[in-house]
Amino acid sequence: MALEIRLYPDPVLRERAEPVDEITDEIRRLADEMVETLTLRVGYGLAAPQVGVRKRLIVVDVDEHFYVLANPEVVQASEETELGVEGCLSLPGIEAEVERAKRVVVRGLAMSGEPVTVEAEGLLARVFQHEIDHLDGVLFIDRLGRAKRQRLLKAYERARREREREREREREKAPARAL
Ligand code: ZN
């Protein structure tokens, strides 16, 4: 079942998520549903707070490989950084160039309960950093300068209002229910 994605400014996106104590069936089911949601929504990654769950769980889909990690942590980051364009399923309609470490080593728990270490570079490293930020209530817009962030948030509001108007129009177009 696909899950509903929480949109900014939903407060759950600003909370710090709790560690996953144990990989239970419930956690595995949540991970499966997050993978399904991510596939449907065509994103690179999804963090549990984005579906309203305050747990440290992320799914990442880069180069046709799914990474599902509980309690993921960046244990090593290169000093070398790079700029790359980011968007977010919780902030539809806007994107910006964000500076991130070019290479990271991420550690976490696989759904088997085994610890895993992933060495990531480029896009994969970027997606891990973006998703792990979500677990601490941090969004990509927080990584921008103030002026740029405010400009983007205005654009976000405009896009949001436009989507609402679009939905209104769709409702008006829908034929009245036959009696
Ligand atoms: Zn995001």
Side-chain angles (χ1 to χ4, degrees):
M1 195 186 71
L3 304 163
E4 186 201 340
I5 294 187
R6 301 298 185 91
L7 300 182
Y8 179 87
D10 191 314
V12 73
L13 297 171
R14 288 310 198 179
E15 286 172 29
R16 203 181 145 79
E18 301 286 337
V20 172
D21 295 328
E22 199 190 336
I23 308 297
T24 57
D25 285 346
E26 193 189 342
I27 291 292
R28 285 195 197 95
R29 196 156 49 238
L30 172 62
D32 284 348
E33 289 179 336
M34 284 170 62
V35 166
E36 199 184 326
T37 307
L38 181 59
T39 308
L40 281 171
R41 298 296 298 271
V42 199
Y44 284 122
L46 193 61
Q50 291 182 278
V51 293
V53 179
R54 292 172 56 236
K55 287 275 176 208
R56 302 187 80 81
L57 180 68
I58 61 168
V59 299
V60 168
D61 174 17
V62 172
D63 298 333
E64 294 176 30
H65 187 96
F66 274 104
Y67 299 86
V68 179
L69 288 183
N71 306 333
E73 260 182 283
V74 173
V75 292
Q76 229 180 82
S78 63
E79 269 176 37
E80 194 183 349
T81 60
E82 66 184 4
L83 279 173
V85 175
E86 291 185 24
C88 180
L89 290 173
S90 293
L91 285 145
I94 57 169
E95 50 184 39
E97 278 201 317
V98 181
E99 189 170 17
R100 300 276 189 190
K102 191 173 179 184
R103 285 176 304 276
V104 291
V105 177
V106 174
R107 219 173 271 161
L109 282 181
M111 290 305 97
S112 59
E114 295 292 309
V116 283
T117 303
V118 184
E119 286 178 33
E121 193 178 337
L123 178 63
L124 182 59
R126 175 172 299 281
V127 178
F128 272 123
Q129 290 170 84
H130 178 118
E131 301 313 327
I132 292 171
D133 266 357
H134 272 299
L135 304 180
D136 295 321
V138 175
L139 302 170
F140 81 94
I141 51 172
D142 304 329
R143 303 261 177 216
L144 308 170
R146 192 189 146 98
K148 197 166 182 188
R149 177 166 58 246
Q150 280 173 348
R151 226 174 21 247
L152 265 185
L153 284 175
K154 271 193 194 132
Y156 175 71
E157 271 308 312
R158 271 198 306 276
R160 195 156 92 131
R161 282 198 296 271
E162 184 50 44
R163 276 197 307 278
E164 265 162 34
R165 276 199 294 273
E166 190 60 41
R167 272 198 299 273
E168 282 289 308
R169 280 196 291 269
E170 289 300 317
R171 267 201 295 276
E172 281 165 18
K173 262 197 294 194
R177 195 191 295 181
L179 293 172

